[in-house]
């Protein structure tokens, strides 16, 4: 009996194609679940060097990461912005540390520009108490600056909650930040 | 065919999808509060110039100096040179970092020089160049990338071109800044402190941040440089892009460093750090913000700190720490006092303090280190016991000295425990040597130059010389080999072994492995000696002997009397000597040196002529000189005229002249000897009483002086002087008057002895016989 090749051909093709599709989908799912570790092959970063120097060529990710910073790292503060009605631009000021260490209160601030002349003013206030005011200069860092201070003796403050205000001003920039501090 | 194609196609697709998917793997091990340890950050010895150069060479195989390669990394079909022109970037040539130089100094050399100048790990500077400008992997760096190589910003008022811009300036400013933070320099201000800080995720303050407890200065230095921490999206992305609030500087520092140079962690003991003061070379253990000076390498190894690297620090860093003094091996905490030994701590009781001689009650000798260090770094040993094992020898620690235990039997006799055995390190084993602990008897020396001793199990006896050694048969006693003790320098108290022994009331001489009993008669010879008791354990080893009056002291033979020793010189003297009870006694000469020496021994029976010119001849009889009154007596006794020997009158002191001359004599066995004109006759005692003998006229003689056989008197005596015949019987002699009486008393059959009148007078004369 002679079977029709034309009839059989399409059905087998459909079955074969469906099977292939199932396999492809399964593989993709596997790859997604196991992050590309197929049969142990991996494109992960190089294994531990035990302190030895790695003389292998750079990996694609390393090259890609290098290209990203070719024209400068994105990890730089945003440029200071102009304030309407002011000749000074606004710079970001952050209070980065406010810790009581024994009898010393350490307050630190970050200024979002590289400056080496300017003034930081710290005002510690508490209702019903006289404010404590300290001033300090500015120290330039690699991409930011910091106030040259502040270490305050807690004997100058009474226990309780104080408000700390740091303002910065130079010939071109100004900025401020506040933080609540509890004195033991 | 088509199915095969489909099948292969599927496999290929699946594989390529899997392998070629650059699927980012999240960052592992990033700790925001401790990105890199100070010890790794400041290891300026990590690479030399050749290694730096080789490293840079390895990261850029082919440099696109002319900019002719396609800018495919930007998804562009332009060449690098064309792409740069389109962006307004500098034109070629593009010099890669491996080939870059400034002022004729290579980039590798510049990096190395600056790392040495500021004591910063050159690997940190390499990572910085990559993280800020991608300079390590860039195949076509722009000149502007070298101008701001480390992204170190220039303040507006400064002369940027000369002092901030350029490769050397950039790397220098970065290293200088790092060093200032590490040294906690008083002229450097940092926006961060050790402790809690608010650190933003990104330059966009609206993204916020979190509190980070910065644990060390190197981490603080990284945040001073790049004041942002990676958020979770950044960490999940590996080297890749996170989200709108992500910043990548510190993440990438960590990734590049660990991928290229290994761990950012610097191993240190748990709960403490090891600092090396660069100005003096001193090493400190730092714990709870207190520095403890490590006084010697032995203390270092005792704490097992020698396995850790030390971190070079400046004087400024050290001066900010509380001074805890010198690190001692004694620690304390609420649980009491502990001795540190080989990386473990051992509780020390008050008794053990005394036994080990430890200064447990001197607060200047005790250290209190952090609880974590004491309980987690140091192993917890058992309580300290008083037995220590040092260089193969067990010691009992007692009152600050170490007393060596001579052998296993002593150890068990003393009831000492060796489970567990404590092995002190050299630094804990400095106690002076104590006395030797010994319970087993034997012969020993305390050093190669000390005298020999015999130990009986509880006391020491000094062996004074080799004579004593052999006298006491010590060569058959166990030889003990003992460890060195204080006895090597200061000998123990002991009793000397002497050869004069008093045992159970009897006196003995110890001579040549024998216990020689001294007969009572001879004890006066050693009246100058003190006889004492000596160890039974030695006495029982010796064979027993009794001293005879004849002794052999090589090469001489002596005869001993109650006061003197007499040399025996002639064979004829020797033959008559008594050797009772068990032969000639040997005695070494040292035993008789104090006995005065008398006249040479002259045996009884020897014939002596003195040199006094008298011509008198004597016979030695019972140790006296007995005068021989006539040749008749001389011959009667059978003496040999050729045996007379001449002696000096000095012998009279030991051999005095007898009061009576030689004549009739009686020997000690009650035999009578009678001299008559016809010769010498003997009369045994029992017979003599039948003769009615009158003993008064008989002097004592030593029978052995008679040198011939002596006939016995018969009962019938014939007096040659008057022809009378006597018959002895019934305790008298009777004149036999008639022949018939002669016949009646058996005179014809019995023999007659011819005697003289002197002989007849020796007997009791009773009634005549008719």
């Amino acid at each position: 009996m002679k079977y029709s090749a034309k009839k059989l051909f399409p059905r087998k093709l459909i079955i074969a194609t469906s099977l292939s599709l199932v396999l492809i989908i399964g593989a993709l799912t596997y790859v997604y679940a196991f992050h590309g570790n197929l049969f142990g092959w991996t494109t992960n970063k190089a294994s531990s060097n035990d302190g030895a120097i790695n003389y292998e060529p750079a990996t694609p990710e390393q090259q890609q990461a290098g290209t990203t910073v070719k024209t400068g790292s994105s990890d730089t503060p945003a440029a200071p912005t102009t304030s309407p009605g002011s000749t000074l631009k606004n710079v970001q000021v952050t209070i980065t540390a406010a810790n009581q260490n024994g009898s010393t209160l350490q307050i630190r601030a970050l200024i979002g520009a590289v400056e080496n002349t300017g003034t930081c003013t710290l005002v510690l206030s508490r209702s019903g108490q006289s404010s404590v005011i300290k001033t300090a200069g500015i120290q330039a860092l690699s991409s930011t600056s910091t106030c040259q201070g502040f270490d305050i003796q807690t004997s100058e403050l009474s226990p309780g909650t104080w408000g700390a205000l740091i303002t910065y001003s130079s010939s071109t920039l100004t900025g401020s930040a506040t933080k609540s501090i509890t004195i033991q | 065919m088509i199915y095969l194609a489909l099948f292969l196609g599927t496999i290929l697709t699946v594989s390529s999808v899997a392998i070629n998917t650059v699927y980012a793997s999240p960052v592992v091990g990033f700790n925001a509060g401790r990105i890199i340890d100070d010890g790794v950050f400041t290891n300026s010895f990590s690479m030399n110039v050749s290694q730096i150069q080789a490293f840079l060479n390895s990261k850029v195989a082919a440099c696109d100096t002319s900019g002719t390669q396609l800018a495919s990394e930007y998804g562009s079909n332009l060449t690098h040179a064309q792409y740069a022109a389109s962006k307004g970037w500098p034109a070629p040539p593009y010099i890669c970092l491996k080939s870059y130089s400034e002022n004729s100094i290579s980039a590798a050399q510049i990096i190395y020089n600056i790392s040495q100048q500021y004591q910063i790990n050159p690997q940190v500077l390499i990572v910085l160049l990559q993280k800020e400008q991608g300079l390590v992997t860039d195949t076509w760096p722009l000149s502007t990338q070298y101008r701001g190589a480390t992204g170190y910003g220039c303040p507006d008022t400064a002369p940027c071109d000369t002092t901030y811009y350029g490769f050397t300036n950039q790397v220098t400013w970065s290293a200088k800044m790092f060093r200032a933070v590490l040294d906690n320099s008083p002229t450097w201000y940092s926006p961060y402190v050790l402790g809690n800080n608010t650190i933003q995720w990104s330059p966009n303050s609206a993204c916020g941040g979190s509190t980070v407890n910065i644990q060390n200065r190197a981490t603080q230095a990284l945040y001073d440089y790049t004041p942002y921490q990676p958020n979770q999206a950044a960490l999940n992305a590996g080297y890749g892009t996170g989200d709108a609030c992500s910043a990548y500087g510190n993440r990438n520092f960590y990734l590049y460093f660990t991928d290229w140079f290994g761990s950012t962690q610097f191993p240190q003991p748990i709960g403490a750090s090891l600092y090396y003061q660069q100005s003096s070379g001193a090493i400190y253990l730092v714990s709870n913000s207190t520095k403890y000076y490590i006084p010697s390498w032995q203390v270092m190894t005792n704490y097992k700190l020698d396995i850790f690297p030390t971190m070079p620090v400046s004087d400024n860093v050290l001066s900010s720490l509380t001074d805890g003094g010198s690190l001692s091996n004694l620690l304390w905490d609420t649980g009491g006092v502990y001795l540190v030994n080989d990386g473990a701590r051992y509780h020390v009781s008050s008794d053990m303090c005394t036994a080990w001689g430890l200064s447990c009650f001197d607060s200047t000798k005790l250290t209190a280190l952090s609880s974590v260090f004491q309980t987690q770094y140091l192993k917890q040993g058992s309580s300290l016991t008083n037995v220590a094992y040092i260089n193969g020898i067990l010691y009992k620690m007692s009152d600050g000295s170490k007393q060596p235990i001579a052998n296993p039997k002593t150890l068990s006799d003393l009831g000492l425990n060796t489970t567990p055995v404590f092995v002190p390190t050299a630094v804990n084993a400095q106690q002076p040597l104590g006395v030797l602990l010994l319970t087993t008897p034997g012969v020993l020396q305390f050093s190669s130059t000390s005298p020999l001793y015999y130990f009986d199990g509880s006391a020491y006896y000094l062996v004074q010389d080799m004579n004593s050694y052999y006298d006491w048969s010590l060569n058959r006693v166990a030889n003990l080999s003992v460890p060195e003790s204080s006895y090597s320098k200061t000998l123990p108290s002991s009793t000397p072994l002497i050869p004069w022994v008093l045992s159970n009331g009897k006196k003995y001489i110890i001579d040549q492995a024998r216990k020689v009993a001294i007969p009572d008669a001879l004890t006066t010879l050693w009246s100058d000696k003190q006889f004492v008791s000596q160890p039974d354990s030695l006495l029982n080893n010796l064979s027993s002997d009794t001293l005879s009056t004849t002794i052999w002291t090589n090469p001489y033979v002596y005869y001993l009397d109650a006061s003197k020793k007499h040399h025996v010189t002639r064979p004829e003297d020797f033959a008559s000597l008594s050797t009772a009870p068990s032969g000639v006694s040997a005695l070494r000469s040292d035993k008789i040196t104090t006995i005065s020496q008398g006249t040479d021994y002259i045996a009884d029976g020897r014939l002596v002529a003195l040199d006094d010119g008298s011509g008198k001849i004597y016979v030695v009889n019972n140790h006296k000189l007995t005068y021989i009154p006539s040749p008749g007596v001389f011959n009667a006794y059978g003496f040999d005229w050729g045996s007379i020997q001449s002696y000096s009158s000095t012998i009279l002191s030991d051999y005095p002249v007898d009061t009576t001359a030689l004549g009739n004599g009686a020997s000690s066995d009650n035999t009578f000897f009678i001299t008559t004109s016809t010769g010498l006759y003997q009369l045994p005692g029992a017979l003599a009483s039948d003769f009615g003998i009158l003993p008064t006229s008989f002097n004592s003689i030593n029978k052995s002086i008679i040198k011939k056989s002596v006939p016995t008197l018969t009962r019938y005596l014939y007096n040659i002087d008057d022809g009378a015949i006597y018959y002895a019987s019934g305790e008298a002699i009777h004149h036999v008057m008639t022949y018939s009486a002669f016949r009646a008393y058996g005179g014809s059959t019995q023999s007659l002895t011819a005697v003289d009148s002197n002989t007849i007078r020796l007997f009791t004369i009773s009634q005549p016989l008719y």
Side-chain angles (χ1 to χ4, degrees), chain B residues 624-648:
Chain B
K624 296 203 266 282
L625 298 180
T626 306
Y627 174 53
I628 304 171
S630 69
V633 172
F634 190 99
N635 289 328
Y637 274 82
F639 295 142
D640 173 14
W641 288 100
S643 300
I644 302 170
Q645 267 147 9
S646 190
Y647 280 89
S648 154

Side-chain angles (χ1 to χ4, degrees), chain A residues 81-90 174:
Chain A
T81 54
T82 321
S83 292
S86 170
T87 51
L88 298 175
K89 290 193 183 155
N90 222 31
T174 185

Side-chain angles (χ1 to χ4, degrees), chain B residues 453-525:
Chain B
Y453 288 84
Y454 168 71
F455 183 72
D456 72 350
S458 56
Y460 287 100
Y461 295 89
L462 179 66
V463 180
Q464 294 180 300
D465 49 41
M466 285 320 282
N467 280 342
S468 185
Y469 183 80
Y470 287 108
D471 282 346
W472 284 97
S473 197
L474 290 175
N475 50 313
R476 286 171 50 226
V477 171
N479 224 354
L480 300 176
S481 165
V482 295
E484 204 191 333
S485 65
S486 62
Y487 289 152
S488 313
K489 296 264 159 56
T490 312
L491 295 168
S493 58
S494 63
T495 315
L497 275 180
I498 60 170
W500 320 108
V501 173
L502 182 67
S503 175
N504 292 331
K506 288 205 56 80
K507 290 185 178 176
Y508 298 83
I509 301 175
I510 308 302
D511 184 87
Q512 297 174 87
R514 296 162 305 143
K515 188 169 82 171
V516 183
I518 308 175
D520 291 341
L522 295 176
T523 55
T524 43
L525 289 170

Side-chain angles (χ1 to χ4, degrees), chain B residues 154 397 549 639:
Chain B
C154 180
M397 307 309 293
T549 50
F639 295 142

Side-chain angles (χ1 to χ4, degrees), chain A residues 104-164:
Chain A
T104 307
L105 176 64
Q106 298 173 299
I107 300 183
R108 302 287 184 269
L110 191 67
I111 315 294
V114 181
E115 300 234 297
N116 55 7
T117 51
T119 308
C120 292
T121 308
L122 166 68
V123 178
L124 289 160
S125 57
R126 186 175 182 205
S127 109
Q129 308 269 326
S130 319
S131 293
V132 174
I133 302 174
K134 306 281 178 193
T135 59
I138 187 101
Q139 148 107 47
L141 305 172
S142 56
S143 58
T144 55
S145 309
T146 188
C147 296
Q148 287 175 323
F150 298 88
D151 283 337
I152 300 121
Q153 292 309 299
T154 52
S155 52
E156 293 188 53
L157 307 160
S158 54
T161 307
W162 289 73

